Amino acid sequence: MKHIVHSGETLSSISEDYRVPLWEILQYNALSNPNLIFPGQVIEIPGYPDPATLSYSIYVSLTNRTLSLFKDGSLVKVYPVGVGRMLHETPSGSFIIINKAPNPGGPFGTMWMSISKKHYGIHGTNDPSSIGKYVSRGCIRMQNRDVEELSYTIPIGTRVQIGS
């Protein structure tokens, strides 16, 4: 999986976002100094498939508060979601699904799927009335049945594009 370095990122922050040890990224990319990276540089992240080889992709519209699932570029389904509120905005950008955790408990409902941005994910909810609103601390909330359906459908490595 290829990651393009953005301004302000460090190898340590990239390591944390993908939950891959720093030493593993250094070794895999034959980098001797973790402080010598630059915006636009391509870093290989070991352990994840190339999202371009996967059939599924996701687009989250923050304005419409929807999550659209695509297969081979064709729209499969649109789900209503809750997203981040003021001062806790949902991050925009291109990410991947890096893990899945059923029954995380508490406000996360029946399924948690981490994206490659530390502390953020797509998850269920214990408050179904929050769907369709700007209410979360930046995560993408779904109805439990919807997040379960999505998690059973998409593989690890699925591209998640978040935009307006």
Side-chain angles (χ1 to χ4, degrees):
M1 147 84 215
K2 295 178 185 341
H3 175 85
I4 299 172
V5 177
H6 295 95
S7 181
E9 284 186 315
T10 64
L11 270 183
S12 291
S13 69
I14 294 167
S15 166
E16 289 178 1
D17 284 344
Y18 287 95
R19 302 354 171 251
V20 174
L22 178 59
W23 67 265
E24 201 171 328
I25 293 173
L26 288 167
Q27 184 177 25
Y28 197 79
N29 289 276
L31 299 171
S32 58
N33 186 339
N35 299 315
L36 295 179
I37 65 168
F38 55 88
Q41 182 177 358
V42 176
I43 302 290
E44 289 282 340
I45 308 296
Y48 295 108
D50 178 354
T53 65
L54 302 177
S55 296
Y56 289 99
S57 63
I58 291 170
Y59 179 75
V60 176
S61 169
L62 299 174
T63 303
N64 297 329
R65 295 171 310 281
T66 57
L67 181 152
S68 299
L69 175 64
F70 295 87
K71 183 174 184 185
D72 298 321
S74 296
L75 182 64
V76 173
K77 192 165 185 177
V78 177
Y79 300 94
V81 297
V83 296
R85 63 183 184 263
M86 192 181 308
L87 302 179
H88 298 285
E89 289 88 7
T90 301
S92 294
S94 187
F95 309 98
I96 64 167
I97 299 292
I98 63 166
N99 65 35
K100 301 177 188 181
N103 299 311
F108 306 114
T110 59
M111 178 60 71
W112 168 272
M113 293 184 286
S114 294
I115 64 171
S116 55
K117 178 75 173 166
K118 191 174 181 185
H119 304 299
Y120 294 95
I122 300 170
H123 63 79
T125 183
N126 63 354
D127 181 9
S129 68
S130 67
I131 303 305
K133 299 176 183 168
Y134 297 101
V135 293
S136 79
R137 292 185 60 90
C139 287
I140 298 152
R141 280 189 200 174
M142 300 180 75
Q143 297 286 354
N144 286 325
R145 68 180 177 277
D146 291 346
V147 75
E148 289 172 21
E149 178 180 274
L150 183 65
S151 74
Y152 296 136
T153 303
I154 63 168
I156 298 294
T158 297
R159 170 98 40 220
V160 177
Q161 187 70 37
I162 303 173
S164 54

